[in-house]
Amino acid sequence: MEFFYVSLLCLFVFLVCLSFHFLFYKNKSALSYPLPPGKTGWPVVGESLEFLSTGWKGHPEKFIFDRMAKYSSIVFKTHLLGEQAAVFCGASGNKFLFSNENKLVQAWWPNSVNKVFPSSTQTSSKEEAIKMRKMLPNFLKPEALQRYVGIMDHIAQRHFASGWENHDQVVVFPLAKHYTFWLACRLFLSVEDPNHVAKFADPFDVLASGLISIPIDLPGTPFNRAIKASNFIRKELVAIIKQRKIDLGEGKASATQDILSHMLLTCDENGKFMQELDIADKILGLLIGGHDTASSACTFIVKYLAELPEIYEGVYKEQMEIAKSKGPGELLKWEDIQKMKYSWNVACEVLRLAPPLQGAFREALSDFIFNGFSIPKGWKIYWSANSTHKSPEFFPEPEKFDPSRFDGSGPAPYTFVPFGGGPRMCPGKEYARLEILVFMHHLVKRFKWDKIIPDEKIVVNPMPIPANGLPVRLYNHNMQA
């Protein structure tokens, strides 16, 4: 009998221990794995200065590749912009993040972004971004973009006539910014007057430079200047919004003419319309996204075509075949854009070597395991375009300019990510493709050019740009637009 009670007691203890084991394992399984290797740097600032300074020095990939070599080629930990962070690298990291959007991870922006766009007080910036992503496809899908081709062609003609023609030398980056910003103002706001567009240009440059920065709000810091610039632009946008309301009421504006009209006339599921400041913030974000990245891409297209005469000749031949098929004064059409296959391959290779979007942040929604390492809930996760774009594993001879990489089915999935990927892939991808190809068409049919500074330094702040703006010497083909 004593043996029976001892056995029963042992069984009871075993079951209790087993229960505690499963309870502990269930709650702590993710945290039982080690954190990714790496270091967190200095108190408060972490490794933010190193992260940003490698870009300022023109080699943003150095921060990533140095730590991939030292710690792990898949994932390492760091501390960026005031947050504990893990950097996911390579195609496997991209696939994991893009496939687990809103499951294990969600979009995250540094505090600097929320402080620069402060008006959406009723909902979070994440919720506002979701609303925008639902709204944008109506304007940025290929079917909708078809009606923009002629408008873009018209603006491009005016841009090249005023800024490039009759000049022996030009500085490319400011001109590229003017072109893409003019297009964004015209297509999002129906603002076309060059003087009105110019009024926004400088504040937008200041805003873009300080948007992703260390959020120190002291006079003279990039962050402080960005806040002041955003306040100025917001006031200007509110004035445009108020006038548009009047024009819509009087029948002087169309309900479908641009995104601004759509925002003013569309209510949410509760029948509420957006407030003027909320619309101003959204338009502000669209104008930044709609021109800044494309202006960087256009600038680097000019750079690489200057350095690679054989690539220029291929683009020139393709674009001249299209130009010669047009009648006097006839604008480009959607069908013409579809013929620019080699030109787009060239543009994609530029986007691989100098991606305007260097990477983006996510936030862990719960504890999870990646590649044998624990990622705690709340940690920020950064993915880097350069971890695949500049990797010989995915792009042999990665520094070589080779548009043929994009022939056929193109690069392997999750390796070419200038527009991100998954549910959060940039909704303006097709819009960017259109404005870049229209720019290339007008550029090469008018000019050849040489770089004035052969070894001009590249800086990244927050997008790659030539340090001196890429001055070039122009040689006109003597062909009328």
Side-chain angles (χ1 to χ4, degrees):
M1 181 67 75
E2 185 176 330
F3 176 77
F4 172 76
Y5 285 119
V6 171
S7 300
L8 194 62
L9 180 62
C10 290
L11 180 62
F12 175 76
V13 171
F14 172 75
L15 290 173
V16 170
C17 291
L18 194 63
S19 299
F20 274 111
H21 170 77
F22 280 116
L23 182 64
F24 179 82
Y25 180 80
K26 180 180 179 182
N27 290 333
K28 301 294 184 179
S29 59
L31 296 179
S32 66
Y33 286 80
L35 293 173
K39 64 177 182 177
T40 54
W42 296 94
V44 184
V45 297
E47 295 193 294
S48 300
L49 291 178
E50 294 168 76
F51 176 70
L52 295 171
S53 68
T54 54
W56 300 334
K57 295 174 183 176
H59 302 285
E61 70 277 6
K62 179 174 169 52
F63 180 89
I64 303 296
F65 282 114
D66 282 356
R67 285 155 181 78
M68 288 175 67
K70 186 173 183 179
Y71 301 119
S72 165
S73 62
I74 304 297
V75 58
F76 61 85
K77 71 179 178 184
T78 181
H79 192 284
L80 298 175
L81 305 179
E83 301 284 347
Q84 292 272 21
V87 177
F88 282 29
C89 308
S92 61
N94 292 342
K95 180 178 181 179
F96 183 91
L97 291 178
F98 299 160
S99 302
N100 284 287
E101 191 72 51
N102 299 322
K103 300 172 187 173
L104 295 177
V105 299
Q106 64 181 2
W108 178 81
W109 295 270
N111 285 333
S112 55
V113 175
N114 290 324
K115 290 180 180 178
V116 170
F117 297 97
S119 73
S120 298
T121 56
Q122 301 302 313
T123 56
S124 71
S125 57
K126 297 182 182 68
E127 292 173 302
E128 294 301 318
I130 291 170
K131 290 179 182 178
M132 281 302 297
R133 296 184 75 84
K134 290 179 180 178
M135 182 184 297
L136 286 176
N138 292 328
F139 294 90
L140 300 179
K141 58 187 178 183
E143 307 90 85
L145 287 172
Q146 293 186 32
R147 66 177 182 267
Y148 298 155
V149 177
I151 296 172
M152 285 190 173
D153 192 17
H154 173 67
I155 295 292
Q157 289 186 28
R158 294 178 61 184
H159 167 75
F160 277 93
S162 62
W164 296 69
E165 292 176 357
N166 301 315
H167 290 79
D168 295 328
Q169 298 180 9
V170 297
V171 181
V172 176
F173 184 57
L175 286 172
K177 285 194 296 182
H178 179 261
Y179 163 73
T180 58
F181 192 54
W182 195 353
L183 284 179
C185 287
R186 170 62 184 84
L187 294 171
F188 298 161
L189 294 169
S190 297
V191 171
E192 190 169 336
D193 175 37
N195 294 324
H196 200 171
V197 173
K199 189 176 182 180
F200 287 111
D202 289 341
F204 260 96
D205 293 343
V206 174
L207 173 57
S209 294
L211 191 59
I212 305 296
S213 63
I214 299 173
I216 300 175
D217 190 6
L218 293 175
T221 62
F223 180 58
N224 177 264
R225 293 197 298 268
I227 291 176
K228 290 180 178 178
S230 73
N231 290 335
F232 170 82
I233 298 166
R234 194 178 290 108
K235 289 179 182 177
E236 295 293 318
L237 289 174
V238 167
I240 293 172
I241 292 165
K242 289 181 182 295
Q243 184 59 50
R244 177 63 61 84
K245 281 184 173 180
I246 295 171
D247 292 345
L248 285 169
E250 296 177 353
K252 296 178 181 178
S254 163
T256 58
Q257 72 184 52
D258 55 26
I259 289 178
L260 175 56
S261 284
H262 182 76
M263 287 182 178
L264 283 168
L265 297 172
T266 301
C267 60
D268 63 17
E269 59 272 13
N270 299 317
K272 292 180 63 177
F273 291 89
M274 279 191 281
Q275 299 294 313
E276 290 175 356
L277 278 175
D278 284 336
I279 293 175
D281 263 0
K282 288 178 176 59
I283 293 291
L284 186 58
L286 283 175
L287 288 171
I288 292 172
H291 94 284
D292 240 21
T293 52
S295 61
S296 174
C298 288
T299 300
F300 278 88
I301 285 169
V302 176
K303 172 186 181 294
Y304 283 109
L305 291 184
E307 295 170 350
L308 303 164
E310 70 282 6
I311 303 296
Y312 173 92
E313 287 302 322
V315 174
Y316 177 73
K317 179 181 177 182
E318 181 176 79
Q319 296 297 342
M320 287 309 298
E321 288 178 3
I322 294 168
K324 290 173 182 176
S325 72
K326 312 301 290 181
E330 184 182 357
L331 295 172
L332 288 171
K333 298 178 181 177
W334 182 254
E335 294 74 22
D336 299 316
I337 301 297
Q338 305 318 304
K339 296 175 184 176
M340 302 179 184
K341 293 181 179 179
Y342 180 75
S343 297
W344 183 239
N345 282 358
V346 170
C348 286
E349 183 68 341
V350 170
L351 290 169
R352 182 186 71 82
L353 287 166
L357 177 69
Q358 297 291 300
F361 285 97
R362 298 291 187 268
E363 181 177 41
L365 290 169
S366 60
D367 299 335
F368 64 83
I369 305 301
F370 175 69
N371 198 53
F373 295 108
S374 171
I375 308 297
K377 178 181 178 180
W379 267 39
K380 306 309 178 279
I381 301 162
Y382 183 77
W383 64 266
S384 164
N386 284 315
S387 77
T388 54
H389 286 197
K390 298 288 184 73
S391 169
E393 177 184 354
F394 307 114
F395 295 97
E397 296 182 86
E399 295 300 326
K400 179 182 178 181
F401 194 98
D402 182 6
S404 70
R405 302 180 197 272
F406 298 90
D407 287 340
S409 58
Y414 304 105
T415 61
F416 180 61
V417 289
F419 300 100
R424 291 200 56 78
M425 178 177 283
C426 175
K429 176 184 176 182
E430 287 299 317
Y431 172 86
R433 173 176 171 266
L434 192 54
E435 63 182 333
I436 289 169
L437 288 174
V438 171
F439 176 86
M440 293 177 74
H441 175 78
H442 284 278
L443 177 71
V444 300
K445 82 172 187 177
R446 285 171 168 79
F447 307 109
K448 289 194 74 169
W449 57 91
D450 293 328
K451 291 166 58 179
I452 293 175
I453 306 174
D455 55 350
E456 185 174 359
K457 180 184 174 183
I458 304 301
V459 296
V460 179
N461 186 30
M463 284 169 296
I465 55 173
N468 299 98
L470 190 63
V472 298
R473 188 173 293 104
L474 296 174
Y475 305 98
N476 201 307
H477 288 315
N478 296 317
M479 180 178 177
Q480 297 298 315

